[in-house]
Amino acid sequence: MKLSMICPADHHLLEETGNTLRCGYCGASYPLEGGIARFLQDDDPFYEGVYRSQVRFVPKSERAWHTWPLWLINSGYMWAVRKHVAVGSVVVELGGAGGVRYFAHRYQMVACDISYGSLSGVENYVTRIQTDAANCIPMADGTVDAVVSSYFWEHMSPAMKSSVLKECQRILRPGGKVVFLHDVQ
């Protein structure tokens, strides 16, 4: 399944032509490298490739005795997402590092991170996007069911947090969920 992406400059839909996403309105183009849509001109020197870990646990079934470890992993992050987000939902994971294999089995996942290297390790997500979520999450308005993140929030300034929340509100469908696990700030 292909998800609709928009131009960060003018919010018009992008068209995929070969290894490029192009905006028919402003003419901007964004490369697709290794299956990753790259909306950043330069790699971030601090974060590039630093977070590559992947949560590989996938329960044998959705029965309680198989899923209880989800409550323990990452301080209950996977459990909380499972509890609040329906199976098959379109979910954007902000700062997803190497991804969560269970999420890839349960949802239509979109990984957003500023690190191309981290995104290159994400497996089985529908879409991978290198972007700065405080500037633009290049998804069309009202197209996702949930936005989730684990230990992403504390890496942003207060001004950035406001911008990220506006972007989350823009891309969420009515009734959409936000599930963030973060350190207390």
Side-chain angles (χ1 to χ4, degrees), residues 52-60 62 70 73-74 77-78 81-82 91 93 96-111 120-126 148:
R52 292 187 178 198
S53 63
Q54 181 183 79
V55 178
R56 298 184 185 279
F57 176 75
V58 177
K60 292 179 183 178
E62 289 295 318
L70 297 174
I73 299 169
N74 277 10
Y77 169 60
M78 294 167 59
V81 173
R82 178 182 180 269
V91 178
E93 183 176 26
V100 177
R101 190 171 286 171
Y102 174 65
F103 290 169
H105 287 275
R106 188 173 171 85
Y107 308 113
Q108 297 174 56
M109 290 300 298
V110 177
S120 66
V122 175
E123 299 172 359
N124 302 316
Y125 278 33
V126 174
V148 302

Side-chain angles (χ1 to χ4, degrees), residues 34-105:
I36 299 169
R38 298 192 74 169
F39 290 92
L40 298 178
Q41 295 282 329
D42 301 308
D43 290 332
D44 184 282
F46 182 79
Y47 288 108
E48 185 51 45
V50 173
Y51 298 102
R52 292 187 178 198
S53 63
Q54 181 183 79
V55 178
R56 298 184 185 279
F57 176 75
V58 177
K60 292 179 183 178
S61 77
E62 289 295 318
R63 295 176 189 239
W65 54 86
H66 289 142
T67 59
W68 74 266
L70 297 174
W71 183 75
L72 299 171
I73 299 169
N74 277 10
S75 302
Y77 169 60
M78 294 167 59
W79 183 266
V81 173
R82 178 182 180 269
K83 179 181 176 184
H84 295 286
V85 182
V87 173
S89 295
V90 176
V91 178
V92 171
E93 183 176 26
L94 301 177
V100 177
R101 190 171 286 171
Y102 174 65
F103 290 169
H105 287 275

